[in-house]
Amino acid sequence: VTIMNGFKAIGGAFAFIIAISHLMQALERGQDMMEAVFKVLFELMIVFLFIVNSDDIIKGLSYLGTIIVSTTASHFNGILNNNVMSDEDCEKMLKTLTGHTTGEFWWQIRADIALFIPRALSFFVIIGTKFAILSLLFELAIRQALTPLFIADIYQEGLRSPGAKHLKQYLAVYVKMAICVIVCIMAQFITKTQDPTNGMMMLIENIAINFTCIAVMMKSNEYVSNFV
């Protein structure tokens, strides 16, 4: 909040400089001085209203973004119901990979090796997901702090201004989070509906699924580019 308040002052100063520049240009074009001054003051009033209330604007966008993410998670999470791999499926997978469902020491080693690949891949996906989410959280914090500066010229071009684009990009970060949620949930769904008797093919599919998840999350910027 303190950082954002600092940028409010900078944004106000920036808006004032822009307003003075517009006033000078209007006078050079021969526009009536009183009309030009009134227009500039009106523009400044609108900008200062946006800058002073930028906290509330961000809170509103954050609330909307939270709804997007939570609604996405609750909707798609229902897909996973009744899709948890049973003990019988685990035994089938071990029998396919090792030839038996139980065994002595060497069978245990083979079973651990067979299960290591999907576990290791799941670990890398978790790391990749955390990296993606943390990157988005840092982006949110930076965009939030810079909001007063970006909306200093929002009155010039309205929804086409850099300030309006900045606000849309802030909301788009939450859309990227929703994409990450969808990817993780769908990956679990696909993994849990695999046939455990496919053996090595199942492991290959797991590799493809996990690397695809990371690739899709990293490309979330492209998916929301049309939005902003």
Side-chain angles (χ1 to χ4, degrees):
V1 177
T2 304
I3 297 177
M4 192 172 182
N5 288 335
F7 278 107
K8 281 184 180 181
I10 297 174
F14 182 56
F16 182 77
I17 293 173
I18 294 176
I20 294 298
S21 174
H22 287 175
L23 177 61
M24 298 300 294
Q25 292 174 7
L27 294 176
E28 288 177 0
R29 291 194 302 266
Q31 187 174 348
D32 181 71
M33 182 174 181
M34 290 300 297
E35 180 182 349
V37 171
F38 178 78
K39 183 180 179 181
V40 167
L41 289 176
F42 180 73
E43 292 175 348
L44 276 175
M45 181 181 68
I46 295 175
V47 172
F48 285 146
L49 281 175
F50 272 99
I51 292 176
V52 171
N53 294 287
S54 56
D55 303 83
D56 294 327
I57 295 173
I58 287 298
K59 286 179 182 178
L61 291 176
S62 299
Y63 178 73
L64 179 59
T66 302
I67 291 176
I68 292 174
V69 176
S70 60
T71 302
T72 302
S74 61
H75 176 74
F76 281 89
N77 194 43
I79 297 176
L80 297 181
N81 294 333
N82 303 321
N83 282 297
V84 179
M85 182 176 284
S86 63
D87 293 339
E88 183 181 352
D89 288 337
C90 291
E91 291 180 357
K92 288 180 181 178
M93 183 177 67
L94 286 175
K95 185 174 182 180
T96 302
L97 295 173
T98 64
H100 304 280
T101 57
T102 58
E104 301 299 331
F105 175 77
W106 290 112
W107 177 89
Q108 186 66 47
I109 296 297
R110 291 176 61 192
D112 289 339
I113 293 174
L115 295 176
F116 173 77
I117 295 177
R119 289 174 180 173
L121 289 173
S122 297
F123 172 77
F124 284 118
V125 170
I126 291 172
I127 296 298
T129 303
K130 288 183 177 181
F131 174 79
I133 296 298
L134 284 174
S135 298
L136 293 175
L137 289 175
F138 276 113
E139 184 177 353
L140 275 179
I142 293 172
R143 290 190 179 280
Q144 179 177 341
L146 295 177
T147 295
L149 184 60
F150 275 94
I151 63 177
D153 64 344
I154 198 170
Y155 65 89
Q156 294 185 55
E157 300 179 41
L159 295 177
R160 294 177 298 175
S161 67
K165 185 176 181 180
H166 173 78
L167 295 177
K168 288 191 290 184
Q169 288 174 337
Y170 181 84
L171 183 60
V173 176
Y174 285 98
V175 178
K176 296 176 193 177
M177 289 184 178
I179 291 175
C180 292
V181 171
I182 294 173
V183 169
C184 292
I185 293 175
M186 292 305 298
Q188 293 179 56
F189 170 72
I190 296 172
T191 301
K192 290 178 181 179
T193 54
Q194 286 180 297
D195 186 355
T197 62
N198 282 340
M200 188 56 64
M201 182 55 66
M202 180 179 176
L203 295 180
I204 295 174
E205 289 175 355
N206 276 330
I207 294 174
I209 291 170
N210 285 280
F211 277 105
T212 300
C213 289
I214 295 176
V216 171
M217 284 189 286
M218 294 304 174
K219 291 181 66 176
S220 60
N221 279 324
E222 297 181 21
Y223 300 135
V224 298
S225 59
N226 292 330
F227 174 74
V228 297

